[in-house]
Amino acid sequence: MARLLILTSQTDTEVLPALGLLQHRVRQVPARADQVMAGVEADVLVVDGRRDLASARALCKILHSGFAEIPLLLVLTEGGLSVVTSDWGVDDLLLDGVGPAELDARLRLCIGRTPAPTVASPLQTSGVTIDESSYSARVQGRPLDLTYKEFELLRFFVGNPGRVFTREQLLSEVWGYDYFGGTRTVDVHIRRLRAKLGDMEQLIVTIRNVGYRFNLAEEGTGEDA
């Protein structure tokens, strides 16, 4: 018998009706990362992605970074299968109408093949340190108070120093395929991120008429504006 923690924003329907025919222990909580951060006693984490794929993707990535030792399952409708990629960090996908025999088998296999936890090495460049396991960032040893998207943006830059990215590329890589806002949101987040970097704001360089680049510390600010 496994312990399942289901994260969902829906209270009007059962996420996996087949669980009612099985003997697993199930607890359902709101679809927020802090529901897990407060302490988790679960053999499997289950994220409900039936109605809000964008929020499910963000939550899965957080849970994968912070709880890689616990299998992570994503529940979808059939229409959502075509958009999930490896960067979501999930171990398996389930259709919401899955039968009890298949569900039980998938749970057994997922739990059985969970690897031993490993500690990821922090990303470091130009005085910026990104710790993906704790979703924290530092600049020259000083902790940064970042929102989720600011953290994702900085992590992407630190992982790709010296490369120029258009606003459209940044939207695709950081906000994802399902973001329908304009490129202006990139400029807003860049401005906020620079303000939090303080004296190191020059690390993020504006390339006029193109986009942005994350400089290595020894490089000049070039076309920064």
Side-chain angles (χ1 to χ4, degrees):
M1 182 173 64
R3 298 169 298 174
L4 277 65
L5 183 65
I6 299 179
L7 294 98
T8 178
S9 59
Q10 308 300 322
T11 58
D12 57 336
T13 61
E14 291 184 88
V15 179
L16 289 168
L19 282 173
L21 301 173
L22 301 173
Q23 299 299 313
H24 302 297
R25 292 170 52 189
V26 180
R27 184 161 66 97
Q28 188 166 298
V29 297
R32 302 196 311 269
D34 61 355
Q35 295 294 315
V36 183
M37 304 301 180
V40 58
E41 294 183 0
D43 301 307
V44 181
L45 300 176
V46 180
V47 172
D48 180 7
R50 294 172 298 162
R51 298 189 185 177
D52 189 345
L53 284 170
S55 296
R57 176 178 182 265
L59 180 57
C60 285
K61 293 180 75 171
I62 293 174
L63 295 177
H64 175 70
S65 295
F67 298 91
E69 71 279 8
I70 304 177
L72 178 59
L73 303 185
L74 176 62
V75 180
L76 299 170
T77 61
E78 190 166 356
L81 291 175
S82 62
V83 300
V84 180
T85 58
S86 60
D87 72 328
W88 287 46
V90 300
D91 295 291
D92 203 354
L93 303 174
L94 294 169
L95 290 176
D96 54 349
V98 64
E102 180 181 348
L103 175 56
D104 202 40
R106 285 178 179 271
L107 289 171
R108 289 197 311 271
L109 291 172
C110 227
I111 294 171
R113 65 172 175 257
T114 302
T118 57
V119 179
S121 300
L123 293 173
Q124 291 181 314
T125 189
S126 304
V128 178
T129 301
I130 300 291
D131 188 340
E132 297 177 290
S133 64
S134 63
Y135 252 70
S136 62
R138 293 177 176 270
V139 57
Q140 296 183 323
R142 173 175 61 86
L144 297 173
D145 182 15
L146 303 177
T147 66
Y148 173 72
K149 284 303 181 189
E150 289 166 352
F151 177 87
E152 288 290 294
L153 183 59
L154 184 60
R155 178 171 68 168
F156 182 74
F157 275 137
V158 170
N160 298 277
R163 292 182 56 188
V164 177
F165 294 96
T166 66
R167 291 167 176 82
E168 290 78 10
Q169 286 175 316
L170 291 172
L171 275 177
S172 175
E173 294 291 342
V174 178
W175 277 262
Y177 71 95
D178 41 20
Y179 182 77
F180 296 105
T183 56
R184 176 63 180 164
T185 194
V186 175
D187 298 326
V188 171
H189 280 76
I190 292 288
R191 184 171 66 250
R192 292 174 181 169
L193 190 52
R194 280 174 171 161
K196 293 182 179 182
L197 287 172
D199 293 340
M200 300 295 285
E201 66 174 351
Q202 73 276 6
L203 288 174
I204 301 177
V205 176
T206 301
I207 307 300
R208 291 187 181 92
N209 301 319
V210 181
Y212 295 98
R213 180 183 70 215
F214 189 83
N215 266 0
L216 297 176
E218 63 271 15
E219 296 178 350
T221 57
E223 300 178 64
D224 194 17

